[in-house]
Amino acid sequence: MKNIVLFGFMGCGKTTVGALLAQKAGLSLLDTDQYLEQKYGRRIPEIFAQDGEEAFRRMEREVCADLAGQKDLVLCCGGGTVLAEENARVLAQSGVMVFLDAPFAVCYGRIRQSDRPLVRQNSREQLREIFARRRPVYLSRAQLTADAAAPPEQAAQEIILAMQSHQ
């Protein structure tokens, strides 16, 4: 089976929905951020702090290239991963691109206490602006869209049903 590539804004539920989806579909779950941290032996906040976002995005491109060659995965991508056209293209060749769409208020409620670099460095309004800039890009990259404001179990089931009719 091709991969299922989940993406969306921080806090949309990629990890939670991804785990349920992988279990239901009999696929392996792989989080691109965790893979990156394992590959480079450093945590993402550390990479951002010491090397900057540009270095992180270069590492992220390498991770996408690594993972695109694999199959039978539910890939949970970091919020900025598919913003890069090269990453989106490579990932789309490996599977179905699924945008987990949730309103900003839902995402913000889930991330406001996190240690994510973008959350720590930006106010709520700045995060809302980032969300507003990213959402049209996410929509343009999506082959399927799922309601990520719904309970995770429901979102995972919605993706499975959409995948069945998409094939």
Side-chain angles (χ1 to χ4, degrees), residues 89-154:
R89 181 182 45 76
V90 167
L91 292 169
Q93 290 172 350
S94 78
V96 178
M97 301 289 283
V98 180
F99 172 37
L100 293 181
D101 192 15
F104 175 76
V106 171
C107 294
Y108 185 75
R110 295 173 180 167
I111 63 170
R112 69 176 186 253
Q113 301 296 324
S114 76
D115 72 341
R116 299 165 192 242
L118 281 177
V119 175
R120 287 188 321 209
Q121 297 166 359
N122 293 281
S123 68
R124 179 186 177 119
E125 280 312 307
Q126 289 169 316
L127 289 169
R128 185 186 309 276
E129 290 170 13
I130 294 168
F131 176 89
R133 283 193 309 270
R134 287 183 175 189
R135 190 169 183 276
V137 178
Y138 293 150
L139 286 166
S140 74
R141 307 279 196 240
Q143 294 170 288
L144 299 173
T145 300
D147 178 8
E153 183 78 28
Q154 184 178 327

